Amino acid sequence: MEFTGTHILSIKQFERVDIDRVFAVADSMKPYAQRNKVTRVLQGAILGNMFFEPSTRTRISFGSAFNLLGGNVRETTGFENSAISKGESLYDTARVLSGYSDVICMRHPTAGSVSDFSKASCVPVINGGDGDNEHPTQALLDLYTISNELSSKGRSIDGLRIAMIGDLKYGRTVHSLCHLLCLYKNIYVSLVSPNELSMPEEFVSELRSAGHEVIISEELTPNISNVDIAYSTRIQEERFPSLEEADLYRGRFRLNQSIYTQYCEPNTVIMHPLPRDSRTEANELDSDLDTNPNLAIFRQANNGVLIRMALFALVLDVAHLVDKYADDVPWFSGRGC
Ligand code: NCD
């Protein structure tokens, strides 16, 4: 794909060669993300970071990524802080805000809305999650994490065995990840969810058409015993008709150290897009896993900065200039994580 000036709305836009390109640029961003070097390559550029749904990692890592490339960030969070709450259309908002920015990142509760917004925008728009539809940058950082975790064990993405666990109906991260896995070969996917929250049929048939083996189950333990990656997800309570209905499914699939020791292979990597729901009634990933070296959730979250830096550098066509505008940092940068 041509990255320069392109909206990043769906993971379906990417071919395998594009993924390789994003991952290579992400690798080259490590000295900057680890604060060993600074670059001014986006000095003067403005990111409009528009989040109309709660977000911690995605919003802040988009902003940090832009700052780390030397650019400035303007934030809008929540409808109540935007003229959308006065009845302004997405079209008008896009026309106006794209006049103030060089690139826009957007999260919105309605599926398809980020794409609609991009049609009226004069600058590239990156989808930070649109309802239960897609979360393309999360899928990229998830696959980048999978690739890094497997390569440290001498493996590649082809031949991956993964269990996706939890709310697979409303979870946009697993939807985008399924699309992405279709670009690879010989994948085994175990889909573990309550029947009512199962992966929509279109994703299952897409995986099967790509030649992948797909198992569908309501049981956790037999399905985490033969996988490289156990990818847990939160019940997406905000997408349910009522909280009472979401409560029915909380805590169905809990992973803790004793279940891990009893059922998982010794090197199974645990992932989660976060936030993990740590309330007692849910506790899908117990904190007793925090010292397990195969718990990759914080490495995964850190990778979000690298991937988002790579996307900004590619979309704004500065990937080849980042080092040219770089300096060493004068401050102590011996980071502990
Ligand atoms: C996810 C999201 O918002 O879809 N979080 C994230 O972006 N890291 C998953 C979730 O909220 O459960």
Side-chain angles (χ1 to χ4, degrees), residues 12-13 26-27 34 55 60 80 103 119 130 144 159 177 192-193 214 234-235 252 257 267 289 292 315:
K12 291 184 198 161
Q13 291 169 248
D27 284 342
Q34 288 163 357
S55 173
I60 296 181
E80 67 282 10
V103 57
K119 293 188 182 105
D130 61 321
Y144 183 69
L177 189 55
V192 182
S193 69
V214 182
R234 180 180 66 89
I235 300 299
R252 283 273 181 104
Q257 188 55 48
N267 275 327
L289 289 161
N292 182 328
V315 167

Side-chain angles (χ1 to χ4, degrees), residues 58 107 135 138 172-173 234 236 273-275:
T58 308
R107 170 173 286 189
H135 196 342
Q138 180 72 38
R172 55 193 171 198
T173 73
R234 180 180 66 89
Q236 307 282 295
L274 301 180

Side-chain angles (χ1 to χ4, degrees), residues 176-194:
S176 289
L177 189 55
C178 284
H179 283 315
L180 193 45
L181 290 177
C182 291
L183 298 177
Y184 293 82
K185 293 201 181 70
N186 192 24
I187 312 276
Y188 171 88
V189 188
S190 184
L191 301 171
V192 182
S193 69

Side-chain angles (χ1 to χ4, degrees), residues 32 35 52 105 119 127 141 146 157 169 203 205 230 235 278 285 290 294 335:
Y32 303 98
R35 290 18 164 224
F52 297 118
C105 295
K119 293 188 182 105
N127 185 356
L141 78 88
I146 292 170
I157 302 169
K169 177 180 179 187
F203 299 100
S205 52
I235 300 299
S278 296
L285 279 188
D290 289 359
N294 288 308
R335 295 163 65 76

